[in-house]
Amino acid sequence: MTEERDHGQTPATQGSRIDAYVDRYAARAAGMVASEIRALFAVASRPEVVSLAGGMPYVTALPLDMVGELVSDLVTRRGPVALQYGSGQGDPHLREQICEVMRLEGIQAGANDVVVTVGSQQALDLLTRIFIDPGDVVLAEGPSYVGALGTFAAYQAKVVHVAMDDQGIVPESLAQTIYALETAGAPIKFLYTIPTFQNPAGVTLNHARRQQVLDICQRAGVLIIEDNPYGLLGFDGEPMRALRADNPDGVVYLGSFSKTLAPGFRVGWALAPHAIRDKLVLAMESAVLSHSSFTQLAVGQYLATQPWREQIKSFKELYRERRDALLDALEALMPPEVTWTRPAGGFFVWATLPEGLDSKAILPRAVAERVAFVPGTGFFSDGSGARHMRLSYCFPEPDRIREGVRRLAGVIEQEMQLRDTFGTGSVREHPGVDTPGPDLA
Ligand SMILES: Cc1ncc(COP(=O)(O)O)c(C=O)c1O
């Protein structure tokens, strides 16, 4: 082999020919695997496919001209600050504004306890980094947010799911799970929960259960991570009171401007008890030195000069109309054996297929019929969820949603016929976290 041909290839003899460094990765990288359904979603993003899969906010509804002016004005007037490094904790003025946003959910907090992060996803990463050693237990609803499960897997946490029904996490199940783990001597580092308009299930923890969950965790000394990106996107009445509002010392609250403004700014935050906040700031600095001053100031400027509450209201109206389109179409078109949740806000409906059907096995046929969804297995870390699928209504127009459901109902009916003819298909075990990618999170 000439030196030229050998260039960069020698390690291949020790590992796979595709990845020359396959045996050099840290053990934690084993938990980072691309979903085998990603390729399918590349096809699903073609315009002829109705995607009920993506979790992308409908940013087209923003007054984009105004955002453009605001950004341009920011560079012209405050360029030397906006284009400079910032502090690890985040822009102080934006942190004040974040406290004002959180007051809508009953949270009274000082800007000093807020850490601005690169979306709430980074807050999840930093929290996992500071709390988790390999093998530590994290409690999470079953199903739970795929991006969080991916982070937990990357840090080699052991996720134990807690049962959830249409009123949110089941307190009895939480108490039993904590008791069983304590008895087994397994250290629980935190409960990760999305109490309001949950991703993927669309359900909301009811008022009575909120207090029970707080009490159970407080008694057991379990920290709660409350992830709440959809809390202000409720379709009826006032926002729910956050868990954090009733226990400042026992809850780390995560918020985000991704759904109420735009995910492209990548501005989220963590509100944490002092000691945790200090660690978060250090972890933030070690990860990225500081968040982008530019996008933080842009969001700050937006909040200071634009009617952001009105914008949230118009997002809510838009998503309510799409939620109604999805629920009405499901009601009208799905076989009676299929069931689903009825979200009062947020982006997602969680559907349950009849016995013997496997949503992941159905996906290729659905994509061939020009409709896509996310199979339920991606939302569990233990291989369950095969009879479920997440349907999102945030992105397609109402007519497209109806057409998507019509196609999907046809596919499910065919699958049921196949099942009745050939018997129950085996629902495959699928251990591991199956991350389909950011646009589908
Ligand atoms: C429950 C939940 N948490 C966190 C995130 C991450 O959001 P971001 O990093 O854009 O703030 C998402 C995004 O879809 C989500 O659904």
Side-chain angles (χ1 to χ4, degrees), residues 8 49 59 62 100 103 106 113 178 206 211-212 230 237 239 300 314 316 318 340 347 362 367 375 395 412 428 435:
V49 178
V59 289
L62 284 169
E100 193 188 328
R103 272 199 285 280
D113 291 332
I178 292 175
N206 70 28
Q211 197 50 53
Q212 286 174 285
Y230 305 99
S314 77
K316 289 199 292 193
L318 181 127
W340 54 87
F347 288 2
I362 292 174
V367 172
F395 202 76
I412 292 174
R428 290 168 303 163
T435 53

Side-chain angles (χ1 to χ4, degrees), residues 55-57 117-124 144-148 192-194 196-200 227-230 254-259 262-264 266-269 347-348 390 438 440-441:
M56 292 181 299
T117 53
V118 182
S120 49
Q121 184 68 32
Q122 191 200 21
L124 272 170
S144 185
Y145 166 51
V146 66
Y192 168 72
T193 177
I194 309 150
T196 309
F197 317 135
Q198 207 244 14
N199 180 2
D227 189 7
N228 194 27
Y230 305 99
L254 308 187
S256 175
F257 290 108
S258 288
K259 324 290 172 177
R266 306 305 302 126
V267 176
W269 69 90
F347 288 2
F348 307 111
R390 189 190 74 180
L440 300 164

Side-chain angles (χ1 to χ4, degrees), residues 10 46 105 183 204 257 259 317 361 422 424 428:
T10 310
R46 289 187 189 155
E105 293 167 338
T183 312
T204 295
F257 290 108
K259 324 290 172 177
E317 277 156 21
F422 297 110
T424 305
R428 290 168 303 163

